[in-house]
Amino acid sequence: MAQPQPVKAASGEEPKRPNPKEQVTVWPHLLLIEFVGALIYTIGLSILAILIKAPLLDLANPTHTPNPAKAPWYFLNLQELLLHMHPSLAGVIVPGLVLVLIAAIPYIDTDPSDTGVWFSGEKGLRIFKFSFVYTALIVVGLVLFDAFFAVNVGGVDYIGTRGVVAAILQLFMSPEAIHAQAQLVEWIAGVVIPLIVMAAVPGVLAAIVRKRYQANTRETIIALFTVFVASYVVLTIIGTGFRGESLHLVWPWQLEPPH
Protein backbone atom coordinates (compact mmCIF):
# COMPACT_ATOMS: atom_id res chain seq x y z
CA MET A 1 0.00 0.00 0.00
CA ALA A 2 1.34 3.43 -0.93
CA GLN A 3 2.43 5.64 1.95
CA PRO A 4 0.47 8.91 2.37
CA GLN A 5 2.40 11.88 1.07
CA PRO A 6 2.48 15.23 2.90
CA VAL A 7 0.28 17.91 1.46
CA LYS A 8 2.26 20.24 -0.75
CA ALA A 9 1.97 24.00 -0.74
CA ALA A 10 0.47 25.90 -3.65
CA SER A 11 3.97 26.55 -4.99
CA GLY A 12 4.60 22.84 -5.32
CA GLU A 13 7.13 22.71 -2.46
CA GLU A 14 6.62 20.77 0.73
CA PRO A 15 5.64 23.01 3.68
CA LYS A 16 8.44 23.61 6.15
CA ARG A 17 7.91 22.00 9.53
CA PRO A 18 9.66 23.12 12.73
CA ASN A 19 12.54 20.90 13.81
CA PRO A 20 11.80 19.54 17.32
CA LYS A 21 15.54 19.50 18.04
CA GLU A 22 15.68 23.28 17.56
CA GLN A 23 12.82 23.98 19.99
CA VAL A 24 12.89 24.45 23.76
CA THR A 25 10.18 23.90 26.33
CA VAL A 26 8.54 26.53 28.50
CA TRP A 27 9.79 24.72 31.60
CA PRO A 28 12.56 25.07 32.54
CA HIS A 29 14.01 27.19 29.74
CA LEU A 30 11.57 30.14 29.87
CA LEU A 31 10.09 30.04 33.37
CA LEU A 32 13.48 29.68 35.04
CA ILE A 33 14.79 32.80 33.29
CA GLU A 34 11.63 34.72 34.19
CA PHE A 35 11.92 33.62 37.84
CA VAL A 36 15.56 34.74 38.05
CA GLY A 37 14.64 38.07 36.42
CA ALA A 38 11.77 38.63 38.87
CA LEU A 39 14.07 37.74 41.78
CA ILE A 40 16.75 40.21 40.66
CA TYR A 41 14.11 42.91 40.16
CA THR A 42 12.65 42.29 43.65
CA ILE A 43 16.06 42.41 45.31
CA GLY A 44 16.99 45.60 43.46
CA LEU A 45 13.70 47.25 44.38
CA SER A 46 14.19 46.27 48.04
CA ILE A 47 17.70 47.74 48.09
CA LEU A 48 16.44 51.01 46.58
CA ALA A 49 13.64 51.13 49.17
CA ILE A 50 16.21 50.76 51.96
CA LEU A 51 18.74 53.29 50.60
CA ILE A 52 16.41 55.95 49.19
CA LYS A 53 13.82 57.44 51.50
CA ALA A 54 10.52 58.30 49.84
CA PRO A 55 9.19 61.68 51.06
CA LEU A 56 5.99 61.54 53.06
CA LEU A 57 3.63 64.35 52.09
CA ASP A 58 0.93 66.04 54.09
CA LEU A 59 -2.65 64.87 53.94
CA ALA A 60 -4.50 65.92 50.82
CA ASN A 61 -5.63 69.52 51.14
CA PRO A 62 -8.27 70.66 48.63
CA THR A 63 -7.34 74.30 49.25
CA HIS A 64 -3.67 73.80 48.40
CA THR A 65 -2.56 72.17 45.15
CA PRO A 66 1.15 71.30 44.94
CA ASN A 67 3.09 72.99 42.17
CA PRO A 68 3.65 71.10 40.00
CA ALA A 69 0.89 68.51 40.38
CA LYS A 70 2.43 65.55 38.57
CA ALA A 71 0.82 62.30 37.56
CA PRO A 72 2.41 58.93 38.45
CA TRP A 73 5.61 58.40 36.49
CA TYR A 74 4.00 55.94 34.05
CA PHE A 75 1.49 58.65 33.05
CA LEU A 76 3.99 61.52 32.87
CA ASN A 77 4.37 60.94 29.13
CA LEU A 78 0.66 61.65 28.65
CA GLN A 79 0.90 64.65 30.96
CA GLU A 80 3.75 65.89 28.80
CA LEU A 81 1.57 65.52 25.71
CA LEU A 82 -1.12 67.62 27.40
CA LEU A 83 1.31 70.55 27.32
CA HIS A 84 1.62 70.39 23.55
CA MET A 85 -1.81 69.51 22.15
CA HIS A 86 -5.54 69.49 22.82
CA PRO A 87 -6.48 67.48 25.97
CA SER A 88 -8.87 65.18 24.08
CA LEU A 89 -6.17 64.41 21.54
CA ALA A 90 -3.43 63.81 24.11
CA GLY A 91 -5.48 62.00 26.73
CA VAL A 92 -7.91 59.88 24.69
CA ILE A 93 -7.45 59.81 20.92
CA VAL A 94 -3.68 59.32 20.67
CA PRO A 95 -3.38 56.62 23.40
CA GLY A 96 -6.45 54.81 22.05
CA LEU A 97 -5.15 54.89 18.47
CA VAL A 98 -1.74 53.60 19.58
CA LEU A 99 -3.33 50.68 21.44
CA VAL A 100 -5.44 49.81 18.38
CA LEU A 101 -2.40 49.89 16.09
CA ILE A 102 -0.37 47.71 18.45
CA ALA A 103 -3.23 45.19 18.63
CA ALA A 104 -3.35 45.14 14.82
CA ILE A 105 0.32 44.16 14.39
CA PRO A 106 -0.29 40.36 14.39
CA TYR A 107 -2.91 40.83 11.67
CA ILE A 108 -0.57 42.93 9.54
CA ASP A 109 2.59 40.87 10.00
CA THR A 110 1.46 37.29 9.33
CA ASP A 111 4.87 35.91 8.34
CA PRO A 112 5.73 33.04 10.76
CA SER A 113 9.45 33.09 9.95
CA ASP A 114 11.94 34.28 12.62
CA THR A 115 9.28 33.95 15.31
CA GLY A 116 10.89 34.54 18.71
CA VAL A 117 14.04 36.11 17.24
CA TRP A 118 14.90 39.43 18.87
CA PHE A 119 14.37 42.29 16.39
CA SER A 120 13.89 39.63 13.70
CA GLY A 121 17.63 39.53 13.07
CA GLU A 122 20.65 41.80 12.83
CA LYS A 123 19.08 44.15 10.29
CA GLY A 124 16.07 44.64 12.54
CA LEU A 125 18.40 45.61 15.38
CA ARG A 126 20.09 48.22 13.19
CA ILE A 127 16.67 49.57 12.21
CA PHE A 128 15.67 49.74 15.89
CA LYS A 129 18.80 51.71 16.84
CA PHE A 130 18.37 54.15 13.96
CA SER A 131 14.65 54.60 14.64
CA PHE A 132 15.21 55.19 18.37
CA VAL A 133 17.83 57.90 17.81
CA TYR A 134 15.74 59.44 15.00
CA THR A 135 12.62 59.63 17.20
CA ALA A 136 14.42 60.75 20.36
CA LEU A 137 16.11 63.67 18.60
CA ILE A 138 12.86 64.79 16.98
CA VAL A 139 10.86 64.55 20.23
CA VAL A 140 13.46 66.51 22.19
CA GLY A 141 13.61 69.11 19.42
CA LEU A 142 9.83 69.47 19.35
CA VAL A 143 9.63 69.88 23.14
CA LEU A 144 12.35 72.56 23.10
CA PHE A 145 10.68 74.30 20.17
CA ASP A 146 7.31 74.35 21.93
CA ALA A 147 8.94 75.76 25.05
CA PHE A 148 11.22 78.48 23.69
CA PHE A 149 9.99 79.52 20.24
CA ALA A 150 7.96 82.72 20.60
CA VAL A 151 6.35 85.26 18.28
CA ASN A 152 5.20 88.64 19.58
CA VAL A 153 1.98 89.84 17.99
CA GLY A 154 0.65 93.17 19.16
CA GLY A 155 2.41 92.91 22.51
CA VAL A 156 1.25 89.34 23.15
CA ASP A 157 3.71 86.43 23.05
CA TYR A 158 2.54 83.30 21.27
CA ILE A 159 4.67 80.33 22.30
CA GLY A 160 5.56 77.19 20.33
CA THR A 161 3.06 76.02 17.74
CA ARG A 162 0.81 78.95 18.68
CA GLY A 163 3.66 81.18 17.59
CA VAL A 164 3.82 79.41 14.23
CA VAL A 165 0.08 79.92 13.73
CA ALA A 166 0.24 83.55 14.86
CA ALA A 167 3.17 84.27 12.54
CA ILE A 168 1.25 82.86 9.56
CA LEU A 169 -1.99 84.67 10.45
CA GLN A 170 -0.05 87.89 10.90
CA LEU A 171 0.58 87.88 7.15
CA PHE A 172 -3.14 88.21 6.50
CA MET A 173 -4.70 89.65 9.67
CA SER A 174 -4.15 92.48 12.09
CA PRO A 175 -2.93 91.74 15.63
CA GLU A 176 -6.35 92.66 17.02
CA ALA A 177 -8.04 90.18 14.68
CA ILE A 178 -5.59 87.45 15.69
CA HIS A 179 -6.29 88.08 19.37
CA ALA A 180 -10.01 87.86 18.63
CA GLN A 181 -9.49 84.49 16.94
CA ALA A 182 -7.86 82.89 19.97
CA GLN A 183 -9.96 79.73 19.65
CA LEU A 184 -8.90 79.30 16.03
CA VAL A 185 -5.24 79.67 17.01
CA GLU A 186 -5.66 77.11 19.80
CA TRP A 187 -7.42 74.64 17.52
CA ILE A 188 -4.81 74.83 14.78
CA ALA A 189 -1.90 74.76 17.25
CA GLY A 190 -3.37 72.04 19.47
CA VAL A 191 -5.04 69.75 16.94
CA VAL A 192 -4.03 70.35 13.31
CA ILE A 193 -0.28 70.80 13.75
CA PRO A 194 0.14 67.88 16.20
CA LEU A 195 -1.79 65.56 13.87
CA ILE A 196 0.42 66.58 10.95
CA VAL A 197 3.59 66.04 13.02
CA MET A 198 2.44 62.67 14.40
CA ALA A 199 1.68 61.48 10.88
CA ALA A 200 4.83 62.91 9.28
CA VAL A 201 7.41 61.60 11.78
CA PRO A 202 6.59 57.86 11.42
CA GLY A 203 5.74 58.29 7.74
CA VAL A 204 9.14 59.75 6.92
CA LEU A 205 10.83 57.09 9.06
CA ALA A 206 9.02 54.29 7.22
CA ALA A 207 10.15 55.73 3.89
CA ILE A 208 13.75 56.05 5.12
CA VAL A 209 14.05 52.49 6.45
CA ARG A 210 12.45 51.04 3.32
CA LYS A 211 14.90 52.87 1.11
CA ARG A 212 18.03 52.70 3.28
CA TYR A 213 17.64 49.19 4.71
CA GLN A 214 15.35 47.63 2.08
CA ALA A 215 13.03 46.83 4.98
CA ASN A 216 10.18 44.38 4.61
CA THR A 217 6.81 44.63 6.37
CA ARG A 218 8.04 43.27 9.71
CA GLU A 219 11.13 45.47 9.76
CA THR A 220 9.00 48.52 8.92
CA ILE A 221 6.68 47.64 11.82
CA ILE A 222 9.75 47.38 14.09
CA ALA A 223 10.70 50.93 13.06
CA LEU A 224 7.18 52.27 13.66
CA PHE A 225 6.85 50.50 17.01
CA THR A 226 10.21 52.00 18.00
CA VAL A 227 8.67 55.45 17.44
CA PHE A 228 6.17 54.62 20.19
CA VAL A 229 8.83 53.18 22.53
CA ALA A 230 11.26 56.07 22.06
CA SER A 231 8.51 58.67 22.47
CA TYR A 232 7.30 56.97 25.65
CA VAL A 233 10.81 56.85 27.13
CA VAL A 234 11.83 60.40 26.19
CA LEU A 235 8.56 62.02 27.30
CA THR A 236 8.66 60.12 30.59
CA ILE A 237 12.22 61.28 31.27
CA ILE A 238 11.34 64.89 30.44
CA GLY A 239 8.21 64.82 32.57
CA THR A 240 10.05 63.22 35.49
CA GLY A 241 13.38 65.01 35.58
CA PHE A 242 12.97 68.25 33.62
CA ARG A 243 9.56 69.68 34.60
CA GLY A 244 9.63 71.97 37.60
CA GLU A 245 7.32 74.59 39.05
CA SER A 246 4.33 75.33 36.79
CA LEU A 247 5.71 72.54 34.57
CA HIS A 248 8.44 74.79 33.16
CA LEU A 249 11.58 73.15 31.78
CA VAL A 250 14.39 73.13 34.34
CA TRP A 251 17.57 71.17 34.96
CA PRO A 252 17.17 68.09 37.19
CA TRP A 253 19.28 69.62 39.98
CA GLN A 254 16.92 72.60 40.10
CA LEU A 255 13.95 70.43 41.03
CA GLU A 256 12.62 70.71 44.54
CA PRO A 257 11.41 67.52 46.27
CA PRO A 258 9.16 65.69 45.94
CA HIS A 259 9.63 64.85 42.25
Side-chain angles (χ1 to χ4, degrees):
M1 180 180 294
Q3 296 295 326
Q5 299 295 323
V7 178
K8 295 186 177 182
S11 61
E13 299 179 357
E14 293 186 3
K16 294 183 179 179
R17 304 179 185 275
N19 186 356
K21 295 182 179 180
E22 297 179 353
Q23 296 178 329
V24 294
T25 56
V26 173
W27 171 262
H29 299 89
L30 173 62
L31 292 182
L32 188 60
I33 294 175
E34 290 181 343
F35 174 76
V36 173
L39 191 62
I40 294 174
Y41 177 83
T42 303
I43 294 174
L45 190 62
S46 301
I47 294 175
L48 289 176
I50 294 172
L51 298 179
I52 302 176
K53 295 182 178 181
L56 295 178
L57 303 180
D58 298 330
L59 294 176
N61 184 355
T63 64
H64 177 71
T65 301
N67 187 7
K70 288 189 177 182
W73 68 267
Y74 44 84
F75 282 143
L76 284 177
N77 42 81
L78 295 180
Q79 188 175 37
E80 182 68 24
L81 286 182
L82 288 170
L83 300 175
H84 308 289
M85 60 185 70
H86 192 276
S88 297
L89 192 62
V92 179
I93 298 175
V94 171
L97 182 60
V98 169
L99 292 177
V100 170
L101 292 176
I102 292 176
I105 290 177
Y107 301 96
I108 300 174
D109 179 17
T110 57
D111 185 2
S113 61
D114 293 331
T115 301
V117 178
W118 280 92
F119 303 103
S120 192
E122 181 62 29
K123 186 168 72 169
L125 180 59
R126 295 198 305 270
I127 291 175
F128 165 77
K129 292 177 180 179
F130 172 79
S131 303
F132 196 98
V133 174
Y134 165 91
T135 305
L137 292 177
I138 289 179
V139 171
V140 171
L142 291 173
V143 170
L144 293 176
F145 174 85
D146 215 26
F148 298 109
F149 178 79
V151 173
N152 187 280
V153 178
V156 177
D157 285 332
Y158 289 83
I159 310 298
T161 52
R162 296 171 183 83
V164 174
V165 178
I168 296 175
L169 293 179
Q170 196 174 17
L171 300 175
F172 310 98
M173 303 168 61
S174 65
E176 292 76 15
I178 296 176
H179 301 335
Q181 297 293 329
Q183 286 187 336
L184 176 62
V185 174
E186 288 292 329
W187 186 79
I188 297 176
V191 177
V192 177
I193 294 180
L195 286 175
I196 293 174
V197 171
M198 287 187 293
V201 170
V204 172
L205 176 63
I208 291 175
V209 297
R210 280 191 172 274
K211 182 175 182 180
R212 178 177 178 180
Y213 297 99
Q214 302 299 314
N216 56 26
T217 300
R218 175 172 298 175
E219 291 159 349
T220 304
I221 291 176
I222 290 175
L224 296 178
F225 184 74
T226 305
V227 173
F228 162 71
V229 174
S231 300
Y232 186 98
V233 171
V234 173
L235 292 177
T236 301
I237 292 174
I238 292 175
T240 303
F242 293 88
R243 288 292 179 185
E245 186 174 343
S246 299
L247 293 178
H248 292 307
L249 285 176
V250 297
W251 293 109
W253 53 83
Q254 295 177 320
L255 293 174
E256 296 181 3
H259 281 286

PDB file of all heavy atoms in Angstrom, residues 193-207:
ATOM      1  N   ILE A 193      -1.741  70.962  13.828  1.00  0.00           N
ATOM      2  CA  ILE A 193      -0.285  70.797  13.746  1.00  0.00           C
ATOM      3  C   ILE A 193       0.182  69.508  14.409  1.00  0.00           C
ATOM      4  O   ILE A 193       1.003  68.769  13.826  1.00  0.00           O
ATOM      5  CB  ILE A 193       0.431  72.035  14.329  1.00  0.00           C
ATOM      6  CG1 ILE A 193       0.161  73.254  13.459  1.00  0.00           C
ATOM      7  CG2 ILE A 193       1.934  71.785  14.458  1.00  0.00           C
ATOM      8  CD1 ILE A 193       0.817  74.527  13.945  1.00  0.00           C
ATOM      9  N   PRO A 194      -0.286  69.168  15.629  1.00  0.00           N
ATOM     10  CA  PRO A 194       0.137  67.882  16.203  1.00  0.00           C
ATOM     11  C   PRO A 194      -0.231  66.674  15.344  1.00  0.00           C
ATOM     12  O   PRO A 194       0.553  65.724  15.237  1.00  0.00           O
ATOM     13  CB  PRO A 194      -0.597  67.849  17.557  1.00  0.00           C
ATOM     14  CG  PRO A 194      -0.780  69.276  17.914  1.00  0.00           C
ATOM     15  CD  PRO A 194      -1.034  69.969  16.620  1.00  0.00           C
ATOM     16  N   LEU A 195      -1.407  66.682  14.728  1.00  0.00           N
ATOM     17  CA  LEU A 195      -1.785  65.564  13.869  1.00  0.00           C
ATOM     18  C   LEU A 195      -0.851  65.451  12.670  1.00  0.00           C
ATOM     19  O   LEU A 195      -0.453  64.341  12.273  1.00  0.00           O
ATOM     20  CB  LEU A 195      -3.234  65.731  13.398  1.00  0.00           C
ATOM     21  CG  LEU A 195      -4.322  65.452  14.442  1.00  0.00           C
ATOM     22  CD1 LEU A 195      -5.698  65.770  13.861  1.00  0.00           C
ATOM     23  CD2 LEU A 195      -4.266  64.010  14.922  1.00  0.00           C
ATOM     24  N   ILE A 196      -0.501  66.595  12.090  1.00  0.00           N
ATOM     25  CA  ILE A 196       0.425  66.582  10.953  1.00  0.00           C
ATOM     26  C   ILE A 196       1.783  66.039  11.369  1.00  0.00           C
ATOM     27  O   ILE A 196       2.381  65.189  10.691  1.00  0.00           O
ATOM     28  CB  ILE A 196       0.565  67.998  10.362  1.00  0.00           C
ATOM     29  CG1 ILE A 196      -0.755  68.443   9.735  1.00  0.00           C
ATOM     30  CG2 ILE A 196       1.689  68.041   9.338  1.00  0.00           C
ATOM     31  CD1 ILE A 196      -0.754  69.883   9.251  1.00  0.00           C
ATOM     32  N   VAL A 197       2.283  66.488  12.531  1.00  0.00           N
ATOM     33  CA  VAL A 197       3.592  66.039  13.016  1.00  0.00           C
ATOM     34  C   VAL A 197       3.569  64.549  13.326  1.00  0.00           C
ATOM     35  O   VAL A 197       4.490  63.807  12.947  1.00  0.00           O
ATOM     36  CB  VAL A 197       4.008  66.851  14.256  1.00  0.00           C
ATOM     37  CG1 VAL A 197       5.264  66.252  14.897  1.00  0.00           C
ATOM     38  CG2 VAL A 197       4.252  68.305  13.888  1.00  0.00           C
ATOM     39  N   MET A 198       2.508  64.088  14.017  1.00  0.00           N
ATOM     40  CA  MET A 198       2.438  62.670  14.400  1.00  0.00           C
ATOM     41  C   MET A 198       2.267  61.759  13.196  1.00  0.00           C
ATOM     42  O   MET A 198       2.589  60.570  13.267  1.00  0.00           O
ATOM     43  CB  MET A 198       1.305  62.462  15.404  1.00  0.00           C
ATOM     44  CG  MET A 198       1.621  62.997  16.791  1.00  0.00           C
ATOM     45  SD  MET A 198       0.359  62.570  18.024  1.00  0.00           S
ATOM     46  CE  MET A 198      -1.033  63.532  17.427  1.00  0.00           C
ATOM     47  N   ALA A 199       1.762  62.274  12.097  1.00  0.00           N
ATOM     48  CA  ALA A 199       1.679  61.477  10.877  1.00  0.00           C
ATOM     49  C   ALA A 199       2.972  61.550  10.082  1.00  0.00           C
ATOM     50  O   ALA A 199       3.401  60.555   9.471  1.00  0.00           O
ATOM     51  CB  ALA A 199       0.506  61.955  10.023  1.00  0.00           C
ATOM     52  N   ALA A 200       3.628  62.719  10.093  1.00  0.00           N
ATOM     53  CA  ALA A 200       4.828  62.910   9.281  1.00  0.00           C
ATOM     54  C   ALA A 200       6.038  62.181   9.845  1.00  0.00           C
ATOM     55  O   ALA A 200       6.818  61.581   9.085  1.00  0.00           O
ATOM     56  CB  ALA A 200       5.136  64.399   9.152  1.00  0.00           C
ATOM     57  N   VAL A 201       6.215  62.205  11.173  1.00  0.00           N
ATOM     58  CA  VAL A 201       7.413  61.602  11.782  1.00  0.00           C
ATOM     59  C   VAL A 201       7.501  60.104  11.479  1.00  0.00           C
ATOM     60  O   VAL A 201       8.519  59.633  10.947  1.00  0.00           O
ATOM     61  CB  VAL A 201       7.449  61.879  13.297  1.00  0.00           C
ATOM     62  CG1 VAL A 201       8.552  61.059  13.968  1.00  0.00           C
ATOM     63  CG2 VAL A 201       7.670  63.365  13.561  1.00  0.00           C
ATOM     64  N   PRO A 202       6.485  59.282  11.784  1.00  0.00           N
ATOM     65  CA  PRO A 202       6.589  57.861  11.423  1.00  0.00           C
ATOM     66  C   PRO A 202       6.521  57.614   9.917  1.00  0.00           C
ATOM     67  O   PRO A 202       7.132  56.664   9.418  1.00  0.00           O
ATOM     68  CB  PRO A 202       5.396  57.220  12.140  1.00  0.00           C
ATOM     69  CG  PRO A 202       4.434  58.326  12.366  1.00  0.00           C
ATOM     70  CD  PRO A 202       5.253  59.560  12.540  1.00  0.00           C
ATOM     71  N   GLY A 203       5.807  58.471   9.187  1.00  0.00           N
ATOM     72  CA  GLY A 203       5.736  58.291   7.742  1.00  0.00           C
ATOM     73  C   GLY A 203       7.086  58.470   7.079  1.00  0.00           C
ATOM     74  O   GLY A 203       7.488  57.666   6.221  1.00  0.00           O
ATOM     75  N   VAL A 204       7.802  59.518   7.468  1.00  0.00           N
ATOM     76  CA  VAL A 204       9.138  59.746   6.923  1.00  0.00           C
ATOM     77  C   VAL A 204      10.083  58.623   7.337  1.00  0.00           C
ATOM     78  O   VAL A 204      10.906  58.153   6.546  1.00  0.00           O
ATOM     79  CB  VAL A 204       9.672  61.119   7.377  1.00  0.00           C
ATOM     80  CG1 VAL A 204      11.134  61.289   6.994  1.00  0.00           C
ATOM     81  CG2 VAL A 204       8.831  62.241   6.779  1.00  0.00           C
ATOM     82  N   LEU A 205       9.969  58.183   8.596  1.00  0.00           N
ATOM     83  CA  LEU A 205      10.831  57.093   9.062  1.00  0.00           C
ATOM     84  C   LEU A 205      10.591  55.825   8.254  1.00  0.00           C
ATOM     85  O   LEU A 205      11.553  55.143   7.865  1.00  0.00           O
ATOM     86  CB  LEU A 205      10.573  56.827  10.545  1.00  0.00           C
ATOM     87  CG  LEU A 205      11.338  55.641  11.138  1.00  0.00           C
ATOM     88  CD1 LEU A 205      12.841  55.882  11.072  1.00  0.00           C
ATOM     89  CD2 LEU A 205      10.898  55.375  12.574  1.00  0.00           C
ATOM     90  N   ALA A 206       9.327  55.486   8.001  1.00  0.00           N
ATOM     91  CA  ALA A 206       9.025  54.291   7.220  1.00  0.00           C
ATOM     92  C   ALA A 206       9.638  54.382   5.828  1.00  0.00           C
ATOM     93  O   ALA A 206      10.187  53.397   5.305  1.00  0.00           O
ATOM     94  CB  ALA A 206       7.511  54.100   7.132  1.00  0.00           C
ATOM     95  N   ALA A 207       9.559  55.561   5.221  1.00  0.00           N
ATOM     96  CA  ALA A 207      10.147  55.735   3.888  1.00  0.00           C
ATOM     97  C   ALA A 207      11.668  55.595   3.935  1.00  0.00           C
ATOM     98  O   ALA A 207      12.280  55.001   3.037  1.00  0.00           O
ATOM     99  CB  ALA A 207       9.751  57.105   3.335  1.00  0.00           C
TER     100      ALA A 207
END
